[in-house]
Amino acid sequence: MLKIAVAGGSGYGGLELISILLRHPNVEIKAVSSEQHAGIEVCRLYPHLRGIVDLRFSPMEEVLSSAADVLFLALPHGKAMHVVPKLPAELIVIDLSGDFRLHDPDEFEHYYGFPMTALESLPEFVYGLPEIGRDRLRGKHRVANPGCFATATILALYPLYRESWIDGSVYVDSKTGSSGAGRTPTPGTHHPRRSHSLFPYKPFAHQHLPEMRQVLANSDNPLIFQAHSTPLVRGIFASHYLKLKAPKTAPQIEELYADYYGREPFVRWIPGMPDSSSVEHSNYVDIAASTDGEHLIVWSTLDNLQKGAAGQAVQNMNILCGFEETTAIDQAPLFP
């Protein structure tokens, strides 16, 4: 049994990690941190876990010094970079924040608004999107877990970029639920603001945009990305608009995605159009497309707390530790 520690367990990402790890047959959660709630039972903060988990939140230092085999960092952006350099090299670390996703520290500072201070640790991290880099993960001890918007868009566009099917720019219209903004409400994220509203935010400035560009890496097909807040709790729904270099039929497009993702356990090709409710509370990504022969619309949808965060983090842990990749994250989506 691997010993697991979760730093930042009181937020929605940390909570989702706890819920998944509780049903994992090969691990045991030994410590969960929360500076604000240290000493309080996890089930007191989250009553739905009463009778299921008997953990208490601990101060960060206690969690970092625990004898864990795997440490999940579910901390706000900018916190992990101060923690990682102090950790033992043999400890497996999976960071759910954006601190170690970008290779270029100048670009990091531009999009996140503060400098990357752990430059010596940055080369140790591998980008953890298994469907495009599973082999790069094996044998590693440090993983930068992808962002939710980035996961949806990279998986939707990766085959098209790799095969050079795109002519010109790609326009991305992506929508997200309120849980992606975290547990602590702000003027732009609390319920009265979001519950009946649809609005854009961070035009040309969202921190997941350089992550997408870094992975897709094709200056001939620049991405224009816009995020929108929706009155959902969970979910990412991304629409991608582009022109094709050469005419393609619907069967040709479906064949392309089958070649790339046909054996992937969590990527599903959907005939017709996807629906965000079909992936809620699951690690699945649903992808669909429509074409007039010259232009293409590709849709992708996922649960931002699962495949967009905690589910993908456990998927990465399974690969690093030699477990079956789908262990504890193969549950069916919940509907209705």
Side-chain angles (χ1 to χ4, degrees):
M1 297 285 284
L2 287 184
K3 300 180 181 66
I4 305 294
V6 178
S10 63
Y12 290 147
L15 171 65
E16 200 81 3
L17 270 171
I18 293 168
S19 299
I20 295 170
L21 292 168
L22 284 171
R23 60 177 179 263
H24 198 298
N26 306 114
V27 308
E28 180 183 6
I29 306 173
K30 300 298 291 185
V32 180
S33 85
S34 171
E35 294 302 302
Q36 182 181 358
H37 303 287
I40 295 175
E41 293 177 324
V42 172
C43 63
R44 181 177 169 188
L45 186 63
Y46 290 114
H48 69 289
L49 293 177
R50 189 169 301 279
I52 300 172
V53 59
D54 59 0
L55 290 165
R56 290 179 179 269
F57 291 113
S58 302
M60 174 78 77
E61 290 305 317
E62 287 187 19
V63 170
L64 297 181
S65 62
S66 64
D69 302 301
V70 180
L71 172 64
F72 290 95
L73 298 176
L75 302 169
H77 301 310
K79 301 295 185 182
M81 67 175 73
H82 300 296
V83 169
V84 167
K86 306 172 187 177
L87 299 174
E90 66 274 11
L91 177 65
I92 292 175
V93 178
I94 300 175
D95 179 28
L96 278 72
S97 80
D99 286 14
F100 295 97
R101 294 172 188 162
L102 299 182
H103 301 157
D104 184 342
D106 292 332
E107 194 163 45
F108 177 91
E109 185 169 0
H110 175 77
Y111 281 93
Y112 283 85
F114 49 84
M116 156 51 79
T117 60
L119 295 176
E120 71 284 358
S121 299
L122 192 55
E124 300 171 4
F125 279 79
V126 61
Y127 191 71
L129 187 51
E131 290 79 6
I132 67 166
R134 186 175 284 105
D135 290 342
R136 293 195 296 271
L137 288 164
R138 294 189 173 97
K140 301 297 183 181
H141 283 75
R142 301 283 191 266
V143 176
N145 214 56
C148 50
F149 283 124
T151 298
T153 286
I154 291 168
L155 291 177
L157 296 178
Y158 188 73
L160 300 167
Y161 271 80
R162 291 280 293 178
E163 300 299 324
S164 299
W165 278 21
I166 304 170
D167 182 10
S169 299
V170 179
Y171 299 87
V172 186
D173 175 348
S174 201
K175 298 174 174 64
T176 185
S178 58
S179 60
R183 184 171 180 270
T184 303
T186 68
T189 65
H190 69 319
H191 182 73
R193 175 71 175 99
R194 296 188 69 146
S195 63
H196 293 86
S197 297
L198 176 64
F199 56 88
Y201 64 98
K202 293 186 179 179
F204 300 105
H206 198 283
Q207 66 272 14
H208 291 183
L209 177 57
E211 191 179 333
M212 302 171 196
R213 290 173 172 167
Q214 177 177 275
V215 174
L216 297 173
N218 188 337
S219 59
D220 293 332
N221 306 123
L223 280 174
I224 296 89
F225 174 81
Q226 180 59 61
H228 297 82
S229 167
T230 70
L232 298 171
V233 173
R234 290 174 179 256
I236 297 285
F237 192 101
S239 301
H240 310 81
Y241 307 93
L242 58 100
K243 184 179 180 182
L244 293 163
K245 273 187 180 178
K248 301 294 180 183
T249 65
Q252 287 176 310
I253 294 162
E254 182 174 355
E255 183 180 5
L256 173 69
Y257 281 86
D259 287 343
Y260 275 81
Y261 300 136
R263 296 187 178 183
E264 290 296 337
F266 295 116
V267 180
R268 305 189 298 191
W269 175 263
I270 303 298
M273 289 173 283
D275 185 322
S276 65
S277 67
S278 296
V279 293
E280 282 189 11
H281 298 274
S282 84
N283 206 53
Y284 288 98
V285 181
D286 284 358
I287 299 177
S290 182
T291 185
D292 63 1
E294 181 181 1
H295 303 91
L296 182 64
I297 304 173
V298 183
W299 299 285
S300 59
T301 186
L302 55 81
D303 185 311
N304 57 290
L305 292 178
Q306 285 267 339
K307 183 60 173 171
Q312 184 144 261
V314 174
Q315 186 178 355
N316 285 321
M317 180 197 72
N318 287 339
I319 295 169
L320 265 62
C321 297
F323 303 138
E324 177 64 37
E325 187 171 330
T326 60
T327 303
I329 49 174
D330 59 352
Q331 74 275 12
L334 296 180
F335 184 88

